[in-house]
Amino acid sequence: MSADTAATGFHAAAVTVPDPPVPPRAGAAPGGTAAVDGLLERIEDPGDLRRLPSARLPALAGEIRRFLVDKVSATGGHLGSNLGAVELSIALHRVFASPQDTIVFDTGHQAYVHKILTGRRDDFDGLRQPEGLSGYPSRAESVHDVVENSHASTALSYADGLAKAVRLSGRADRHVVAVIGDGALTGGLALEAVNNLGAAPGLPVIVVINDNGRSYARTVGGLAAHLAALRRSRPGLPDPESRGGEESRRTPRKAGDTGETGDIGEDRETPRPAGTNVFEALGFSYLGPVDGHDIEALEGALLRARALGRPVVVHAVTVKGKGYGPAEDDEADRMHGIGVLDPATGRPPATAAATPPSWTSVFAKEITAIGAERPAVIAITAAMPGPTGLAAFAARFPDRFVDVGIAEQHAVTCAAGLAMNGMHPVVAMYATFCNRAFDQALMDVALHRLPVTLVLDRAGITGPDGPSHHGMWDLVLLGMIPGLRIAAPRDATRLREALHEAVGFDGGPTAIRYPKASVGPDIVALRRLGGAGGIDVLAENGDRVLLVAVGSLAGPCVAAAAQLRHHGVGATVVDPRWVDPVHPALVELAASHDLVVTVEDGLRTGGVGAAVATACADADLDTPVRALGLPREFIGHGDRAHLLAAAGLDHGSITASVLRAVHAPTRPAAAGPGVVGGGDGAASQPKSPSRSQAMPQAMPQPASQPASKPKSQRRSQPIGGRR
């Protein structure tokens, strides 16, 4: 026994009298995926885990892996990251007494094992399903979830504040632990926190680096290279890049070449890494690298870290996808995130129907084709080349592809520098992560009127990943940026068209947004108004209502217009294509309709509807504008179609909203034109008393022809001269 182990009393704290043997559980599934030892069924909280004999922990880890494969394959979710964090999660909950001790996971998609160990095992059948278990930590689910952490690189800043509050409260018996992956450590916010924590020697924060050499793809940058050098300094550790993490076969250093410094917390049982250690240079104690799949070694390191009472890094080396062959063989991202799979094969079920192309795949193919045509196009990703559709571009044009790590802010300002020197950067990211780069898009790109294109995947409602991943904020945030043009294509052809228009535009920044979904069939326009860069008319059934369809909601709007026709309400459907700024042709079209209804999968407060209302008001139109969109609240996880319907954005709900508006009783005119209602059933003020008097007060029976205004009654005054 080492001196460190004796001092902490580790074995006395962790080992109890062994339990009697447990027979294999009946009904085990074929293929070895079901639990057979029955240990997992006994773990209802971390106290049960701490009472389990150490000798049985490897068997428990195996059960947890089988459980994860079974459950996540059935619902979809984050698999590879959790398979790699099994032993680490077990060790954390044996050494630290959550919730008295705070454990913060960054990013929260590695917290499935934490959920299993804190009493939520039986909830995994509803993982990421409506009203079911969240795919990330959730304060509503458990007292063990302190932070609902699903955007990367935040855990260390949370830990800094949490530990400062603990110190001010005088609770020396509480510990704060932040678990962060090597990928998330590349984010700027994480490095800001490292800078602050390292300068606070009395702050007992334990930073556990879950180093698997990856975020989605392999981790890049100087810090990644430093972590790799630290890993190489310890022979026998798992190799994150080998199949199954077979131990590296590196030659141990010669005797005496240990780099020992005698710092407090030094692990004297193994050699220390030679050379400069950036964490020690910044003020941390450093323990490791430790085999992240050796529970005993992890517990020993965590106990030593806990005893130090100061900022300390525990460097655990793990293998993403550990223990599941299909994940270990997946070179792209080790099955980071999966859909429904057959757990025996790691492939979609044989009965699964073929799915049409996704928006991401259409972008991937077109941006690669554009790269062949335009040598000035540079593609940039923030650690997500595969999920954002840039992998093919990177393979074909490696010199024109940049992966900045999890650093969206740097990605956008780096793009600004490229644009200043004649390049046209295309920065592809999830819409929700664009929130982080708002200031850079505003002050570093738009202020300089630079030709940078932002491609925002997963815009609008994403579905099962919940409130942190819905890309519903971008239209409001980017809509505030002067000179930025925003496109929302309705189909694959319009996505290709928008991409070519964007990279061919040198007058300022552009953004293109599209959802996480399959692309439906093309919706052919009847005509285009306003020239080549104008708006598309998709349906013309009368001039009572103008439906302004944003992006992929064009289909539901066209279907709603057909339903409205049967109810005697004539409607025109228009796709602005470039939704912001508002095209003059859209304002002119609004002047010939009684009501404008905008339909968008972004916030209805401050989004496209607000922009259209402002444009109409600036043109002195009294045409009311009703905005249908997402409410200004955090929307939970669930099926995308269900969530859109719940927000009133399916064709039936759009139809009902329009009918409520056109049949509403006449009300006094508002103080000025603008947005007069949303998806809550509020009525809109009709344009003229004579028109409102003709509106029935109950829903009419279907009519053979829509009730549209006679030609002689249509207003023909210039737009700017009307009130």
Side-chain angles (χ1 to χ4, degrees), residues 287 393 401 510 669:
L287 299 176
F393 187 102
F401 170 75
T510 52

Side-chain angles (χ1 to χ4, degrees), residues 567-584:
H567 287 288
V569 177
T572 301
V573 181
V574 63
D575 170 17
R577 299 190 319 113
W578 293 89
V579 298
D580 203 341
V582 177
H583 197 283

Side-chain angles (χ1 to χ4, degrees), residues 463-490:
D465 280 326
S468 63
H469 277 56
H470 293 315
M472 54 190 282
W473 321 100
D474 58 314
L475 288 171
V476 173
L477 291 173
L478 297 183
M480 292 188 285
I481 298 180
L484 174 67
R485 301 174 65 218
I486 306 173
R490 67 180 181 269

Side-chain angles (χ1 to χ4, degrees), residues 243-492:
R243 189 190 187 283
E246 288 90 350
E247 291 184 352
S248 57
R249 300 290 186 248
R250 303 182 182 99
T251 305
R253 290 191 304 268
K254 296 179 180 179
D257 182 19
T258 64
E260 291 185 332
T261 62
D263 284 354
I264 183 170
E266 176 189 338
D267 179 3
R268 298 182 183 276
E269 296 178 343
T270 54
R272 290 174 52 81
T276 302
N277 181 306
V278 68
F279 302 106
E280 291 178 332
L282 290 172
F284 289 81
S285 293
Y286 174 88
L287 299 176
V290 181
D291 184 343
H293 301 296
D294 183 333
I295 298 174
E296 183 177 3
L298 285 167
E299 288 184 346
L302 293 171
L303 284 162
R304 290 191 288 277
R306 190 179 69 181
L308 291 176
R310 67 185 317 277
V312 55
V313 167
V314 176
H315 183 185
V317 180
T318 64
V319 176
K320 191 171 184 177
K322 175 75 172 176
Y324 183 48
E328 294 172 354
D329 291 338
D330 180 17
E331 177 58 27
D333 63 9
R334 300 291 174 87
M335 286 192 166
H336 177 91
I338 63 170
V340 176
L341 298 177
D342 178 352
T345 64
R347 301 188 186 94
T351 56
T355 57
S358 67
W359 287 90
T360 306
S361 67
V362 174
F363 164 72
K365 185 175 181 179
E366 196 64 26
I367 194 62
T368 305
I370 288 172
E373 299 169 359
R374 294 177 172 270
V377 169
I378 310 294
I380 302 176
T381 183
M384 303 175 72
T388 59
L390 290 181
F393 187 102
R396 186 167 177 183
F397 310 109
D399 293 340
R400 290 192 280 139
F401 170 75
V402 181
D403 183 349
V404 299
I406 301 181
E408 289 83 4
Q409 293 170 288
H410 172 65
V412 173
T413 302
C414 174
L418 285 163
M420 285 177 173
N421 263 0
M423 302 291 107
H424 192 114
V426 175
V427 184
M429 66 183 91
Y430 285 6
T432 185
F433 299 145
C434 184
N435 302 349
R436 296 183 153 195
F438 171 76
D439 184 68
Q440 287 67 39
L442 176 68
M443 291 299 175
D444 302 338
V445 173
L447 180 64
H448 298 90
R449 297 181 294 280
L450 294 171
V452 172
T453 296
L454 306 177
V455 175
L456 307 182
D457 202 330
R458 273 69 166 174
I461 293 292
T462 59
D465 280 326
S468 63
H469 277 56
H470 293 315
M472 54 190 282
W473 321 100
D474 58 314
L475 288 171
V476 173
L477 291 173
L478 297 183
M480 292 188 285
I481 298 180
L484 174 67
R485 301 174 65 218
I486 306 173
R490 67 180 181 269
D491 55 33

Side-chain angles (χ1 to χ4, degrees), residues 361-705:
S361 67
V362 174
F363 164 72
K365 185 175 181 179
E366 196 64 26
I367 194 62
T368 305
I370 288 172
E373 299 169 359
R374 294 177 172 270
V377 169
I378 310 294
I380 302 176
T381 183
M384 303 175 72
T388 59
L390 290 181
F393 187 102
R396 186 167 177 183
F397 310 109
D399 293 340
R400 290 192 280 139
F401 170 75
V402 181
D403 183 349
V404 299
I406 301 181
E408 289 83 4
Q409 293 170 288
H410 172 65
V412 173
T413 302
C414 174
L418 285 163
M420 285 177 173
N421 263 0
M423 302 291 107
H424 192 114
V426 175
V427 184
M429 66 183 91
Y430 285 6
T432 185
F433 299 145
C434 184
N435 302 349
R436 296 183 153 195
F438 171 76
D439 184 68
Q440 287 67 39
L442 176 68
M443 291 299 175
D444 302 338
V445 173
L447 180 64
H448 298 90
R449 297 181 294 280
L450 294 171
V452 172
T453 296
L454 306 177
V455 175
L456 307 182
D457 202 330
R458 273 69 166 174
I461 293 292
T462 59
D465 280 326
S468 63
H469 277 56
H470 293 315
M472 54 190 282
W473 321 100
D474 58 314
L475 288 171
V476 173
L477 291 173
L478 297 183
M480 292 188 285
I481 298 180
L484 174 67
R485 301 174 65 218
I486 306 173
R490 67 180 181 269
D491 55 33
T493 296
R494 258 44 65 176
L495 172 54
R496 299 184 191 101
E497 184 180 59
L499 277 170
H500 283 272
E501 291 178 7
V503 299
F505 180 66
D506 292 329
T510 52
I512 303 172
R513 71 189 302 270
Y514 48 81
K516 178 185 181 182
S518 297
V519 180
D522 277 2
I523 302 174
V524 179
L526 301 178
R527 56 195 173 98
R528 179 164 291 180
L529 303 176
I535 65 177
D536 285 349
V537 178
L538 307 183
E540 286 183 298
N541 298 325
D543 63 357
R544 191 79 163 276
V545 177
L546 176 63
L547 283 171
V548 181
V550 175
S552 63
L553 294 180
C557 285
V558 171
Q563 287 188 335
L564 289 168
R565 179 185 179 91
H566 287 292
H567 287 288
V569 177
T572 301
V573 181
V574 63
D575 170 17
R577 299 190 319 113
W578 293 89
V579 298
D580 203 341
V582 177
H583 197 283
L586 179 56
V587 179
E588 186 172 354
L589 195 59
S592 63
H593 288 75
D594 294 325
L595 172 68
V596 177
V597 178
T598 62
V599 185
E600 59 192 297
D601 58 350
L603 292 182
R604 54 174 291 262
T605 305
V608 175
V612 171
T614 299
C616 289
D618 289 346
D620 289 332
L621 294 187
D622 60 359
T623 306
V625 179
R626 179 184 181 84
L628 302 182
L630 300 176
R632 189 171 61 180
E633 60 188 48
F634 294 109
I635 297 174
H637 60 274
D639 175 74
R640 179 173 179 269
H642 172 79
L643 294 176
L644 286 172
L649 298 176
D650 62 317
H651 73 273
S653 299
I654 295 168
T655 302
S657 293
V658 173
L659 290 173
R660 281 195 298 270
V662 299
H663 299 314
T666 303
R667 296 184 304 175
V675 178
V676 295
D680 55 2
S684 298
Q685 173 64 26
K687 218 166 47 170
S688 65
S690 60
R691 191 69 180 136
S692 68
Q693 291 167 4
M695 292 181 180
Q697 300 305 303
M699 184 179 296
Q701 296 299 313
S704 58
Q705 295 293 331

